[in-house]
Amino acid sequence: MATTAGRGMVALGISGILLAFGAVIAVLVDPFTRVPMMVDATTEWLARLLLLLGVAWLVIGMLAARTSLVRRPGAAAARATWIASTRPWRARESTLGVLPLDRWLMILVPGGLLVTTRIVQTPRDGLWGVAVAIAGWLLFAFAVRLLLGRRSPWPIIAAVGGALVLRCVVALVAVALSGPEGVWPDLWALPAVRILYLMIAFALVAWVFVAAGWALSAQLGRRRAGGVALAGMGIGYALPAATIALMGARDALRSWNEQIGILPWDLARLTGMRDGAFPIEVVAVTAVIGAVATIVGLALALPDRVYARRVR
């Protein structure tokens, strides 16, 4: 119990740090995001439907652990993703005994919600923005699977899947209220609401990778688990950011949002920053930081026998 309470306190501390960093980034980004973007009625209602599905998945996951609901088809998958994403140190135990159907749902529900959320976020971009976003996550998944070797991938699948659902729900809240009769443009005009939303959105992006690393710690140890998460995060951000830096400032802001999907709309259309006012140096620094994170993560993720061989 003491260990569980201690881990919970650590998780709260990490969440506070991520929110603090998110607040700093939100303050820096806020001047470029003050003009809201409205969506059409069809997109708004599609976002509301997706939001309902996402919230239902989270609620089922919350309730399934304490009720007979866990015996229903799919409830075990929702429970595993909820526990693994909010208490990643329990990710391994949450996936034990999960049936094949639930394992498929642990992949399909978060993955499907991610894809459809990206579609409603940038409806005018077609499938290109969706393909780029998915490519970034596939790079992360490939790096993690390669470093895991023969160990079970289900703990990290549950943790990342649950965290992605949380991210999508936050993004969909804004889109679902941004149609012709939506109230989001009025809310977005309030600086406090704008900063709070951006802060939570940026913090949830970082939490995906924190949950991934923490979920792997029982299998790989703290050093290797942190390395796997850091390397996957670095690859997922370095390659898209490097591509953006080469494209020039005109499309940098728009493309950057396509990679990570933080804001509820296409950030370039939201800000009108297509003419180079956004400093491309910021994206270049992001690419460099991602590359450094990848190298450090790969070094930390090396098996113990590699370090032992070097010592000899």
Side-chain angles (χ1 to χ4, degrees), residues 16-307:
I17 293 173
L18 296 182
L19 287 172
F21 277 110
V24 173
I25 298 175
V27 171
L28 294 175
V29 173
D30 179 65
F32 304 102
T33 61
R34 293 178 180 176
V35 180
M37 177 72 182
M38 290 185 63
V39 298
D40 57 68
T42 302
T43 301
E44 181 184 30
W45 279 103
L46 179 59
R48 290 175 179 176
L49 176 60
L50 294 174
L51 178 62
L52 179 62
L53 294 175
V55 171
W57 182 259
L58 294 177
V59 171
I60 291 172
M62 296 177 195
L63 300 178
R66 301 181 180 275
T67 66
S68 59
L69 184 64
V70 73
R71 292 193 290 268
R72 301 288 184 179
R79 172 185 177 273
T81 56
W82 169 254
I83 292 177
S85 61
T86 57
R87 286 154 286 175
W89 60 89
R90 294 184 56 190
R92 189 178 184 184
E93 68 174 81
S94 71
T95 58
L96 294 176
V98 176
L99 297 177
L101 173 62
D102 291 299
R103 288 185 173 181
W104 276 107
L105 290 175
M106 286 166 54
I107 298 175
L108 294 178
V109 172
L113 189 62
L114 174 65
V115 171
T116 50
T117 298
R118 296 300 295 125
I119 291 175
V120 300
Q121 280 183 303
T122 54
R124 296 181 181 87
D125 291 339
L127 297 179
W128 171 245
V130 177
V132 174
I134 293 175
W137 287 110
L138 288 178
L139 283 171
F140 173 71
F142 176 76
V144 170
R145 192 67 189 95
L146 188 64
L147 293 170
L148 268 177
R150 298 180 179 179
R151 294 176 178 85
S152 172
W154 294 110
I156 190 172
I157 288 174
V160 171
L164 286 177
V165 172
L166 290 171
R167 278 196 57 215
C168 291
V169 166
V170 170
L172 289 169
V173 166
V175 185
L177 300 176
S178 300
E181 300 178 357
V183 299
W184 190 253
D186 294 331
L187 293 175
W188 194 254
L190 302 175
V193 173
R194 201 165 54 239
I195 294 294
L196 179 63
Y197 177 87
L198 294 172
M199 176 182 70
I200 296 174
F202 279 109
L204 282 176
V205 172
W207 179 255
V208 172
F209 300 103
V210 172
W214 208 335
L216 290 172
S217 61
Q219 296 172 286
L220 302 179
R222 294 180 180 178
R223 174 181 62 80
R224 293 195 65 200
V228 169
L230 190 61
M233 179 181 66
I235 292 175
Y237 279 84
L239 292 182
T243 303
I244 295 165
L246 294 175
M247 291 171 57
R250 181 178 177 84
D251 295 319
L253 197 55
R254 171 179 178 269
S255 300
W256 182 64
N257 189 53
E258 286 177 354
Q259 313 303 318
I260 56 179
I262 289 180
L263 294 176
W265 312 280
D266 181 337
L267 188 55
R269 295 193 185 98
L270 183 72
T271 61
M273 302 299 291
R274 288 181 180 272
D275 297 325
F278 188 80
I280 192 62
E281 290 79 7
V282 174
V283 183
V285 170
T286 302
V288 172
I289 293 175
V292 172
T294 301
I295 295 172
V296 173
L298 289 173
L300 292 174
L302 290 175
D304 294 332
R305 61 177 178 273
V306 175
Y307 288 94

